[in-house]
Amino acid sequence: MIAKLNSFIVVLTVFTLFFFGVQYYIVDLIKEQQGLFFYNTWSIYLFHFLATLIIYVLVFFVNRIFPDKTGFAFMACSLLKMLAALIFLLPFIQVKEQYTINDVFAFFIPYFLFLFLETFYVIKILNQK
């Protein structure tokens, strides 16, 4: 049980560091041409890392206690992640200055990458039976 959690944490950390490096490089290139972004790359990736880790741990433990409710737990956690993303983006939404579509992409491309990763691992949990 602990080995599966540890292996997921290792994969998640490598995944996060790789895509963080790629996005950091791309954002740095775009900053030179178009100016600043609303959120730092590290804050976006910290949010996604923590949200994905919490979702996986919750789904993992729900699967151990109530294996037939694992899918529902994942759907509920995904809904909570969407709400957390909205709260995270609320200052960006409320700002009076006009930021570019690059700010939206800087958040939502990693959002969907992390969603793919957590979905892949939750499917592995569901297929254990």
Side-chain angles (χ1 to χ4, degrees):
M1 179 171 104
I2 298 298
K4 287 185 182 181
L5 283 174
N6 286 339
S7 69
F8 177 75
I9 291 171
V10 168
V11 168
L12 179 62
T13 303
V14 170
F15 183 86
T16 303
L17 290 174
F18 174 75
F19 284 110
F20 171 78
V22 170
Q23 183 166 337
Y24 187 81
Y25 176 73
I26 292 170
V27 165
D28 196 41
L29 290 176
I30 293 173
K31 274 185 190 178
E32 291 177 6
Q33 297 171 357
Q34 298 179 4
L36 296 175
F37 280 71
F38 189 80
Y39 285 110
N40 295 328
T41 305
W42 66 267
S43 64
I44 292 171
Y45 275 84
L46 180 64
F47 170 80
H48 290 304
F49 178 84
L50 292 176
T52 301
L53 182 63
I54 291 168
I55 287 173
Y56 183 78
V57 168
L58 288 174
V59 169
F60 187 80
F61 284 117
V62 166
N63 185 55
R64 294 287 175 207
I65 299 168
F66 304 108
D68 58 327
K69 305 292 185 210
T70 305
F72 293 118
F74 177 64
M75 290 189 322
C77 287
S78 294
L79 177 66
L80 292 175
K81 181 181 175 184
M82 286 183 230
L83 292 174
L86 181 64
I87 292 169
F88 181 80
L89 290 173
L90 201 56
F92 171 70
I93 295 168
Q94 291 178 337
V95 73
K96 301 293 183 213
E97 298 174 23
Q98 186 65 27
Y99 283 90
T100 64
I101 193 73
N102 295 337
D103 289 302
V104 175
F105 286 145
F107 181 82
F108 280 106
I109 289 174
Y111 180 89
F112 288 113
L113 289 171
F114 280 88
L115 180 63
F116 172 76
L117 180 71
E118 67 194 34
T119 303
F120 178 77
Y121 275 90
V122 168
I123 289 172
K124 285 177 73 170
I125 290 174
L126 290 170
N127 288 334
Q128 285 179 0
K129 297 177 184 180

